[in-house]
């Protein structure tokens, strides 16, 4: 047998397989020699041998030694001549390099080489790790006919370094970009090479737009019939398959789990130093800001209007015709106009109309220029919404992929739609499935993958209505308000991510408490007896932060709130805490009507009224809502009987000073009392009642209470002062755990004046 180049040669055998041999053979088979060149033969010879050798290695028992033969190579060469040159059917990579097709079309290419290029770092480079060069990794991709060099992102580079992408791997690619020369090139050009750093054209690929294909996948463009049901591109089936640094997402079907209220990103641009201040506003805040901005703009326009009108009139009137100037300069323009002839009147009328149009445009432009010159800032506002989404599950789950599905079902992403339109707002309803194309990806934040939709993102509803079973399989859950019992448990054991701490709540507001000009707290209760303290930061102009209308007349009021963030448990008031975020809002009435009616009926009943009144009195009195006998945080209401120091030889500032409290039981309570609370206790006592003549309150505050010499005498004076003053204090206590036979002693953490009216009502109710 004859042997061709690249095979192990046998003795006394001639070699065949030169470019000239194949050219003569093709000509002998009736092929037109003017259609192919030596480079065309060399190129295809490489890929034919590579393909046949790969088949022998893949199936050694069936094809070993019988597939990579010279006769087979010639047969393949003639087949390529017939298809590419005679039938003029160019392969995928050649069309791509000629720039006759879009590089974003789905295609399957094979990794033929991993190219590595080293570059020296400039002086002062990465000297910390001792590196003086950097390595760039590229891929040479082929469709089996021609090759193209590919630039990868960092994620694909890591997969190459990990050995997950190797020579011979087939990759499904879409949304690629052809970078380099603006003009197309031909792979048979003399200056075209794929294994050099300075190639004329590169294929830029990203991880989210690439997937490893099966070994038997057909190379070249993917037929549209295989991608028609996937939006004509690569369908990403799970959020787990999205890499934060892997480029945009080609196509994904998402279930809308939560839709948040529309928000506005306000940017105030300082025209002097170009500083930008960004604020996130609700719809109400945006309307107020825009109204104020329009009002300021109108005032400034009116300020410049008179000057602009005068200057523009003088400039326009310079070009006015003589008859019009004479008419305006006369004592009676109307009489002067009547004396004019028909021709002169037409000239004056035409100029009057033209002058009006010119003045309007010039005055408008002059006002705009004046506003730009004198305005110190510029305001821009962009509407957007956030949506909590999960990947839609198309197929039924089997036992084989059940574990993988259970993991992916828990993964959520936060989708931000910028410059949201009315059509998109109608489309993005909770429980619907939306097909998204070309989504942007950002790094995770607070445990959630961040997706973004911009002007080039396409959204469309799924062609077929999803079933309830498919929605459940995808992890979708309808909104369900949490009870205050559940919220109290969540507040004591905080979830790690913000999404898991977010709840909807339906409860009865029993009190609104303003904590300064910019903070308010609402106390919520229901039939369970538990209480939630909902806090909100707002502007000083917002007199109704919780959207209750006339607060004083409406309490207690049943409310339904969405997207409330559960905060850590309030150990002082012994209740759950929640925070009102920019995404929080009142729930639509029709979604919670049955529960609201049920709670309203309880709130109007005798037991509901008494319960709300008792809870309100406890809040006003500062008594914990729920506090058992073994609670670490307690409250004590009583009078100060005196003070003492446990160790008289120690430094009084750092020693443990104790306070003795009469709280109505058989024996008084002794608790540790931090010295920094003593001036506060004195001020509270002086403000609460008139000081007796025998003990001067102001002089007590001004004395040096902590000197070594006068410590015991000062403490006795303090004790006498508080006994004579008879101020009823509210003490917040914390008892730390101890070991062995030691008896734990509570420590005062906060002190205030007790509310006697609320305490009296509680006592009467209890009695």
């Amino acid at each position: 047998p004859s042997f061709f180049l690249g095979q192990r040669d046998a003795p006394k055998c001639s070699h065949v397989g030169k470019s000239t041999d194949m050219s003569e053979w093709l000509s002998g088979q009736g092929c037109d020699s003017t259609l192919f060149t030596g480079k065309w033969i060399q190129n295809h010879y490489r890929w034919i041998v590579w393909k046949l050798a790969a088949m022998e290695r893949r199936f050694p028992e069936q094809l070993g030694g019988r597939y990579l033969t010279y006769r087979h190579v010639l047969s393949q060469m003639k087949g390529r001549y017939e298809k590419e040159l005679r039938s003029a059917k160019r392969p995928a990579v050649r069309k791509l390099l000629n720039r006759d097709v879009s590089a974003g079309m789905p295609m399957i290419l094979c990794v033929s080489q991993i190219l590595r290029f080293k570059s020296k770092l400039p002086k002062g480079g990465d000297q910390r790790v001792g590196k003086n060069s950097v390595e760039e990794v590229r891929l040479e991709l082929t469709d089996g006919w021609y090759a193209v060099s590919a630039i990868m992102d960092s994620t694909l580079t890591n997969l190459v370094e990990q050995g997950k992408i190797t020579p011979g791997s087939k990759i499904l690619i879409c949304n690629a970009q052809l970078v380099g020369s603006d003009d197309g090139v031909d792979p048979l050009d003399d200056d075209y090479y794929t294994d050099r750093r300075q190639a004329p054209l590169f294929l830029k690929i990203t991880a989210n737009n690439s997937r490893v294909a099966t070994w038997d996948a057909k190379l070249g463009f993917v037929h549209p019939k295989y991608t028609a049901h996937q939006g004509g591109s690569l369908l990403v089936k799970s959020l787990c398959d999205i890499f934060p640094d892997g480029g945009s997402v080609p196509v994904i079907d998402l279930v809308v789990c939560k839709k948040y209220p529309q928000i506005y990103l306000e940017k105030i641009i300082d025209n002097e130093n170009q500083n930008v201040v960004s604020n996130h506003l609700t719809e109400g805040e945006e309307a107020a800001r825009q109204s104020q901005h329009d009002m300021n703009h109108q005032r400034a326009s009116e300020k410049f209007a008179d000057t602009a009108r005068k200057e523009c009139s003088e400039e326009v009137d310079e070009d006015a015709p003589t008859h019009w100037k004479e008419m305006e300069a006369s004592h009676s323009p109307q009489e002067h106009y009547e004396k004019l002839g028909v021709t002169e009147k037409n000239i004056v009328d035409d100029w009057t109309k033209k002058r009006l149009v010119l003045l309007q445009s010039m005055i408008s432009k002059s006002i705009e220029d004046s506003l730009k010159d004198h305005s110190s800032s510029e305001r821009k506002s962009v509407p957007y919404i956030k949506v909590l989404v999960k990947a839609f599950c198309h197929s039924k789950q089997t036992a084989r992929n059940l574990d993988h599905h259970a993991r992916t079902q828990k993964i959520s992403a936060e989708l931000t739609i910028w410059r949201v339109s009315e059509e998109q707002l109608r489309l993005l309803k909770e429980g619907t499935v939306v097909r998204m194309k070309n989504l942007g990806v950002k790094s995770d934040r607070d445990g959630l993958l961040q997706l973004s939709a911009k002007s080039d993102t396409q959204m469309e509803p799924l062609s077929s209505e999803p079933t309830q079973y498919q929605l459940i399989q995808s992890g979708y859950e309808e909104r369900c308000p949490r009870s205050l019992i559940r919220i109290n448990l969540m507040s004591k054991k905080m979830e790690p991510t913000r999404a898991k701490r977010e709840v909807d709540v339906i409860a009865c507001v029993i009190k609104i408490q303003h904590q300064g000009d910019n903070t308010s707290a609402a106390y919520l209760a229901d039939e369970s007896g538990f209480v939630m303290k909902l806090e909100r930061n707002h502007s000083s102009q917002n007199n109704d932060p919780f959207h209750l209308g006339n607060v004083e007349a409406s309490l207690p009021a049943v409310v339904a709130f969405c997207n409330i963030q559960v905060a850590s448990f309030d150990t002082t008031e012994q209740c759950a805490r929640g925070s009102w975020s920019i995404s929080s809002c009142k729930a639509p009435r029709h979604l919670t009507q049955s529960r609201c009616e049920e709670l309203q009926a309880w709130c109007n009943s005798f037991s509901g009224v008494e319960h709300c009144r008792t809870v309100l009195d406890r809040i006003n009195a500062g008594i914990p809502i729920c506090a058992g006998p073994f609670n670490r945080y307690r409250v004590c209401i009583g009078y100060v009987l005196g003070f003492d120091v446990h160790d008289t030889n120690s430094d009084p500032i750092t020693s443990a000073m104790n306070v003795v409290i009469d709280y109505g039981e058989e024996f008084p309570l002794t608790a540790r009392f931090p010295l920094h609370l003593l001036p506060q206790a004195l001020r509270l006592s002086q403000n609460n009642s008139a000081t007796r003549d025998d003990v001067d309150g102001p002089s007590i505050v001004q004395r040096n209470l902590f000197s070594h010499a006068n410590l015991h005498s000062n403490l006795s004076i303090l004790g006498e002062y508080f006994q004579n003053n008879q101020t009823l204090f509210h003490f917040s206590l914390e008892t730390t755990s101890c070991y062995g036979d030691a008896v734990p002693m509570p420590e005062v953490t906060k002190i205030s004046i007790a509310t006697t009216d609320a305490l009296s009502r509680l006592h009467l109710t209890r009695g």
Side-chain angles (χ1 to χ4, degrees), residues 665-713:
E665 297 294 335
E666 183 178 358
F667 299 101
L669 174 68
T670 302
R672 290 188 180 88
F673 194 82
L675 294 183
H676 67 86
L677 292 178
L678 187 56
Q680 181 183 354
L682 287 169
R683 286 192 297 270
L684 290 172
S685 180
Q686 292 165 23
N687 295 334
N688 187 54
S689 60
T691 308
R692 305 208 173 211
D693 297 335
D694 49 356
V695 181
D696 189 5
S699 65
I700 290 288
V701 179
Q702 295 170 4
R703 290 183 188 180
N704 185 9
L705 298 173
F706 309 120
S707 63
H708 285 275
N710 301 325
L711 175 64
H712 296 289
S713 60

Side-chain angles (χ1 to χ4, degrees), residues 617 619-622 637 728 730 752-761:
D617 290 337
I619 294 172
N620 293 332
I637 308 293
L728 188 62
H730 176 283
S752 60
I753 297 295
T755 309
T756 55
D757 294 342
L759 287 170
S760 301
R761 286 194 297 271

Side-chain angles (χ1 to χ4, degrees), residues 294-340:
D294 294 341
M295 188 180 299
N296 295 338
H297 187 273
Q298 180 65 25
R299 290 174 181 172
S301 300
E302 293 173 356
K303 178 182 177 181
F304 297 116
D306 295 337
T307 304
R309 188 177 294 105
K310 183 179 179 181
E311 293 177 354
C312 293
S313 297
E314 294 176 355
E315 183 179 349
V316 170
D317 292 347
E318 291 179 357
D319 299 330
T322 306
H323 299 292
W324 187 88
K325 290 181 179 180
E326 293 175 352
M327 183 187 72
E328 291 295 320
S330 64
H331 296 289
S332 176
Q334 184 64 31
E335 293 181 1
H336 185 88
Y337 178 79
E338 295 296 335
K339 295 178 182 179
L340 294 175

Side-chain angles (χ1 to χ4, degrees), residues 118-290:
K118 288 188 177 181
S119 301
K120 289 186 178 181
L121 288 174
K123 291 183 179 180
D126 197 359
Q127 301 295 335
R128 295 170 298 176
V129 294
K131 290 183 178 180
N132 55 7
S133 64
V134 62
E135 185 179 63
E136 180 186 2
V137 181
R138 296 179 188 171
L139 296 179
E140 184 188 58
L141 302 177
T142 179
D143 60 352
W145 293 64
Y146 296 99
V148 61
S149 183
I151 303 174
M152 303 174 290
D153 59 13
S154 58
T155 305
L156 282 176
T157 303
N158 292 334
L159 294 177
V160 172
E161 298 294 349
Q162 295 169 12
K164 296 183 179 179
I165 297 178
T166 59
S169 300
K170 292 185 178 181
I171 305 177
L172 171 61
I173 300 169
C174 68
N175 287 358
Q177 295 179 350
L178 203 60
V179 296
S181 173
D182 294 333
D183 299 325
V185 299
D186 194 87
L188 298 178
D189 290 345
D190 294 334
D191 58 348
Y192 179 78
Y193 296 94
T194 58
D195 55 353
R196 297 182 183 179
R197 180 189 293 273
Q198 301 299 330
L201 284 176
F202 300 97
L203 194 65
K204 188 176 180 181
I205 60 177
T206 57
N208 289 331
N209 293 277
S210 306
R211 291 294 181 269
V212 176
T214 57
W215 70 271
D216 58 344
K218 185 179 179 181
L219 298 178
F221 292 120
V222 180
H223 197 280
K225 69 178 181 181
Y226 298 115
T227 59
H229 66 288
Q230 300 180 358
S233 188
L234 172 63
L235 177 64
V236 179
K237 297 181 180 179
S238 172
L239 294 175
C240 296
D241 300 331
I242 297 177
F243 299 93
D245 299 325
S248 62
V249 180
V251 179
I252 188 170
D253 295 334
L254 297 173
V255 181
V256 180
C257 297
K258 280 187 179 181
K259 177 183 175 183
Y260 297 102
Q262 184 170 328
I263 305 174
Y264 292 81
L265 176 61
E266 178 194 51
K267 290 186 177 181
I268 306 296
I269 305 172
D270 192 334
N271 293 331
E272 294 182 1
N273 51 21
Q274 295 300 311
N275 289 338
V276 179
V277 179
S278 299
N279 300 306
H280 297 272
L281 308 175
T282 62
E283 287 194 78
E285 293 170 340
E286 163 65 18
R289 294 281 185 92
Q290 186 62 40

Side-chain angles (χ1 to χ4, degrees), residues 393 395-408:
C393 176
S395 59
K396 294 183 179 180
Q397 302 305 318
T398 61
R400 183 177 179 181
N401 59 0
L402 194 58
D403 293 339
H404 175 72
H405 168 69
R407 291 193 302 269
T408 58

